[in-house]
Structures are given as C-alpha cells and as structure tokens.
Amino acid sequence: MPLTQSVQQPTIQQQLNAAAAAAVRSVGVIGAGSSGLAVAKNLKQAGLPFECLEREDQLGGNWCFGKPHSSIYQSTHLISSKQLTEYTDFPMPEEYPEYPGHRQVLAYLQDYCRRFGLDEHIRYNSGVRSVERHADHGWRVTTESGETRCYSHLVIANGHNWDPRLPQLPGEFHGTVLHSSDYKTPDQLRDRRVLVVGGGNSGCDIAVESSRTAPSTCLSLRRGYHILPKFFHGTPIDVCGERGLWMRMPLWMRRLYAKGVLFLTQGSAQAVGFPKPDHKLFECHPVINSTVVDAARHGDLRVVPDVVELLPGGARFSDGSTGDFDLIVFATGFKISLPFIDRAELNWRDGAPRLYLNVFHPQRDDLFVAGLIQPDSGQFGLVDCQAKCIAAYLKGLHQGRASAAELQRVKQTETPNLSGGVRYVDSPRHAVEVEHHSYRRRLEKLYRRLSRP
C-alpha cells in the first residue's frame, strides 16, 4: 500500500481512509523455498493477491540438492525432528523417518505446494536483481532478466544460509579450500588429508563423513560446544526437550536433565580432545550429532585447537602445533546478506536487520521479512506462524482493525527479548537466534489478536 507511514498512532478512521486510497494491489514474495511457500499459503488463505518470485526452475530453495544456490550436501538430513519442523497445518508423512533426508524434505515441500495450490502464483527463473521504493506506493522489483514488477507490499523470504562467512587468517594455503556450502559428496574428501574448521552441525557432520572416507581428518574448534545425541531412548532429542518446555520446567532443571542425558549416552567428550564448553547449555546453538564423539573415540577423527595461521602445506593452531593437510573445509557459517535491497530500508544494525519479532519493519507497513531466524529447533512451523501474522496484519490494516493499529504502534516502540530467558553467547551466529518455544507462543498470541474483528 503502504497503509500509513505516520509515526503517530493513527485513528481507526484514518486507517480506513488509507486503506480506501491504497488497497492491497499485490504482495510480492521473494523466494519459493520453505519460508516463501509458507508466506504464499497464508496470503492465499487470507484472500490477498500475491506473486512469488523464484530464481530457480523449481521450488524448494536450499533443499534442491545440486542446484547452483543450494548449500546442502548429499547426506544432509534435518537436524530437528519432523514433529518440530513441519508446518502447523501440514504434517510430514507418517512413514518418514524421525530425521528426514533432503529428498524427502523437498518432496514434502512439493506436496505442500500442491495441497494449497501455490504453483500458479510462482514465477520461476525470476531471480531478483534489485528492489527499490516505487515512486507512488510500494516497491519496484527488477529481475535478473531485466523485467520490472511492481508490488504494493513486499515479503523477503529467500533465506539467509547462502553467503559464506570465511575467517580472515594470515598466511597462505596451497591446497584446496572449500566452504561447507561447496561440499557435496565424500568423493571430494577421498585420498585427502582433511581439516574441518568449525564445530557447528555442518562442521561435525562433514568431519564424521570425512573420518569414514579420508585417510586422516582433523576438526578444529575455537571453543567447546555442548554435543547432544539425536535420540534418547529412541525419542528425538528435541522432542524430549519439548516435553520439558510444555511441563514448564525452569531453565536450570532442563539443563540438569540434558546433562543427565549426556552422561548416560555419551560420557565425557573432553576425554577425547573436545574442549570444555565456556558457556552454559543452550547459551550457544547446541550440536545435534550422535557420532562425532564416537569418531574421535575410534581414532578416526582428531580434535585440534583453533587455526591461527595458514601454511603452504597446512595450518598452525593456537597451541603452537601444526598439521599437514591437502584440503581445508571451513564450516564457519553464513553472513546475513540481502544484496538486492538497500540496507537502510531494512533498519540494518550490527550485521542484521532489526525488525519487530524479526518480521515487521518498525516504521514501514509494506515491507516484511520471513524466515530470518535461527531457532533452537525446527523452522518451517515457526515461519508458518510468522506468515499467519503478516497476512492477518495486512488484512487488519486494510479493514481498519484496532488490533492492527495497535501492532503498528507497538512495533515502532518495543523491542522484545526473544531469548526465552537464555543469555546467548555474543557471536555473529546468534544475530537472529530465537528460543523456539516462547517465540512460537508469542507469534500465536499475536495472530489471535490480529484475527479478531
């Protein structure tokens, strides 16, 4: 539209006047991955006109293994269980395993698209080159082909796990360097002395895969991480944790419970070289991996300190030791990048857009971001909740609902803490971190308010 840009609280009549002058002509959605599809479904159910732009020739985003912009590898599975990943109104098939592989996830997204009739709204092979404010209202989007599309509102939902973050290290390495997003199959590791840098989920997965393929593998860790198994007594570990949240266990009790699980299933990871974590459990995104500690216990994987210098034939570590390597894989995460739009448009500060609930622009009512979160659980259902709120807000503003006008005021003045009481480690990886349980309840409560007539 935009429906109003006034910093002052508008009256209901002003909302109605604004809606009459600038109705929702069409909402542009950037990306047809898991987030973009959730937005599309909810806009359609709300009766709002929209169009979804997707740069690839098929939907699925990052889950399209083998596509140029996909960051996943051949053996990728969900690290959150299907129960805590699936959309709120579209369960994953019962026959799926607890942690589906990427082919199953892609098939699930395709089924979701068919179930809600979204394909007719998606323009494939339409990568976005630039987004600019339209002279009258809304946004002008230019695609990679040079075509221009205009929308009254815009939802950015193209994901943030695509722009590799690589450490700036002194020295020069003459071997092969990959980011984890460049790693695809174990053939890239065969007959190589491999160093994996980074202790997140991707780093540990690749290190385990390398330990089974390469003649030697080292895993370089800057700090210690809490490593949780994927299952406890046959139940996905996040489902176990969810039970504690629903029972309203305090944080200290959930930590004590998780430590008991680790004691029973894994023992001490420090005994095989993993550094002791310098933070409490949940203060940093935990590693969900049942095999990385076993690989170290079997002698197939060696844990080494942080890399401080690259050498022509290897690397030097923070304890002064060196290692010889043919291949270094940097599993060091991704930068938050939205290169097609001016950062000033997104209230960008400290490496990320600063948005109300990581979704709503504080001042503008015609610009939203979906999926810009790093939850400690699955993401599809959370983004579905975000999308419900976006659609209800747009509809509420158009209809002059008091609840929408109230959110318009709140998002300009309040910055809620989304940590659920957890004090996260100061790190770029936590720029958009949310505690999933409290975040979901906050979104659900907001949606109920916005849905009231």
Side-chain angles (χ1 to χ4, degrees):
M1 291 186 265
L3 296 163
T4 177
Q5 299 301 326
S6 174
V7 175
Q8 296 181 342
Q9 173 67 23
T11 65
I12 296 299
Q13 187 58 50
Q14 287 173 327
Q15 289 291 341
L16 290 170
N17 293 341
V24 179
R25 297 190 301 274
S26 181
V27 182
V29 181
I30 299 179
S34 60
S35 296
L37 292 174
V39 173
K41 186 268 295 187
N42 283 285
L43 291 175
K44 182 172 183 177
Q45 290 185 334
L48 298 170
F50 70 95
E51 182 177 71
C52 183
L53 302 179
E54 169 55 46
R55 63 184 168 190
E56 300 289 359
D57 59 1
Q58 69 177 95
L59 61 84
N62 208 27
W63 293 100
C64 294
F65 173 70
K67 291 294 183 180
H69 296 99
S70 173
S71 299
I72 64 174
Y73 35 92
Q74 188 178 62
S75 59
T76 297
H77 285 69
L78 289 175
I79 59 168
S80 54
S81 66
K82 65 179 181 180
Q83 297 97 315
L84 296 182
T85 300
E86 61 197 13
Y87 292 116
T88 59
D89 54 0
F90 193 72
M92 287 193 179
E94 188 175 342
E95 65 270 19
Y96 271 22
E98 296 288 1
Y99 295 95
H102 64 82
R103 293 179 182 84
Q104 292 167 313
V105 175
L106 179 59
Y108 170 72
L109 296 176
Q110 292 167 337
D111 289 343
Y112 181 81
C113 180
R114 283 190 291 268
R115 166 65 179 81
F116 295 105
L118 306 179
D119 199 64
E120 62 187 88
H121 299 275
I122 303 174
R123 293 174 60 90
Y124 295 103
N125 299 307
S126 298
V128 173
R129 179 190 299 167
S130 65
V131 170
E132 301 169 302
R133 290 196 199 190
H134 195 276
D136 298 321
H137 294 286
W139 301 91
R140 180 171 59 248
V141 177
T142 303
T143 66
E144 294 291 351
S145 66
E147 182 184 10
T148 298
R149 312 286 296 177
C150 293
Y151 306 102
S152 60
H153 296 73
L154 193 68
V155 183
I156 298 172
N158 65 308
H160 57 279
N161 289 331
W162 66 271
D163 189 3
R165 177 185 287 115
L166 291 168
Q168 300 298 311
L169 294 169
E172 184 177 353
F173 177 61
H174 293 170
T176 302
V177 174
L178 299 176
H179 185 266
S180 58
S181 58
D182 301 314
Y183 172 71
K184 301 302 174 187
T185 71
D187 289 339
Q188 294 169 274
L189 309 170
R190 205 172 305 280
D191 300 324
R192 305 283 190 96
R193 296 169 296 176
V194 177
L195 172 65
V196 179
V197 180
N201 285 290
S202 293
C204 288
D205 282 350
I206 295 171
V208 169
E209 201 152 278
S210 178
S211 73
R212 297 166 177 167
T213 305
S216 67
T217 302
C218 290
L219 175 62
S220 170
L221 300 178
R222 182 178 57 178
R223 60 159 50 100
Y225 296 92
H226 295 278
I227 303 172
L228 301 177
K230 281 197 163 186
F231 294 93
F232 179 60
H233 280 208
T235 301
I237 194 68
D238 57 355
V239 174
C240 295
E242 197 72 5
R243 292 170 181 169
L245 289 165
W246 282 110
M247 293 169 62
R248 299 185 180 274
M249 283 186 182
L251 182 59
W252 68 266
M253 187 178 295
R254 289 190 284 120
R255 283 176 171 150
L256 186 63
Y257 170 74
K259 287 181 179 179
V261 170
L262 288 176
F263 175 78
L264 292 172
T265 61
Q266 178 178 276
S268 173
Q270 285 75 63
V272 286
F274 287 86
K276 184 178 181 180
D278 58 0
H279 57 276
K280 296 179 181 178
L281 188 61
F282 308 130
E283 289 183 345
C284 187
H285 209 67
V287 175
I288 311 298
N289 192 298
S290 297
T291 53
V292 67
V293 176
D294 283 348
R297 285 203 172 99
H298 282 84
D300 298 325
L301 172 67
R302 186 164 68 93
V303 180
V304 295
D306 192 24
V307 176
V308 295
E309 182 184 5
L310 297 178
L311 305 174
R316 188 183 310 279
F317 304 108
S318 58
D319 63 354
S321 64
T322 61
D324 297 328
F325 305 102
D326 307 301
L327 170 66
I328 299 179
V329 182
F330 286 103
T332 45
F334 299 86
K335 295 177 285 187
I336 298 175
S337 298
L338 300 169
F340 46 76
I341 187 170
D342 190 328
R343 288 188 172 188
E345 301 284 11
L346 283 167
N347 196 35
W348 202 287
R349 294 199 306 272
D350 300 324
R354 296 304 167 187
L355 310 172
Y356 182 73
L357 300 182
N358 286 26
V359 177
F360 298 90
H361 194 287
Q363 284 78 43
R364 298 189 65 90
D365 294 319
D366 59 358
L367 180 62
F368 308 86
V369 180
L372 189 63
I373 51 174
Q374 178 74 27
D376 55 354
S377 184
Q379 179 151 326
F380 296 1
L382 290 178
V383 179
D384 195 15
C385 292
Q386 291 181 337
K388 288 178 186 294
C389 292
I390 292 171
Y393 181 59
L394 287 177
K395 197 168 183 177
L397 282 176
H398 176 54
Q399 296 176 351
R401 294 179 184 174
S403 57
E406 173 65 11
L407 175 57
Q408 189 180 56
R409 180 192 65 79
V410 167
K411 69 187 180 72
Q412 295 175 11
T413 58
E414 296 184 11
T415 306
N417 187 316
L418 306 179
S419 69
V422 179
R423 185 176 298 175
Y424 293 121
V425 171
D426 184 14
S427 168
R429 72 186 300 186
H430 296 131
V432 291
E433 187 82 14
V434 299
E435 192 282 312
H436 76 280
H437 188 74
S438 58
Y439 182 67
R440 182 166 185 154
R441 286 193 300 174
R442 188 187 292 269
L443 290 172
E444 290 172 342
K445 183 177 179 181
L446 175 61
Y447 176 67
R448 288 193 296 270
R449 289 203 307 268
L450 291 171
S451 298
R452 287 199 292 263

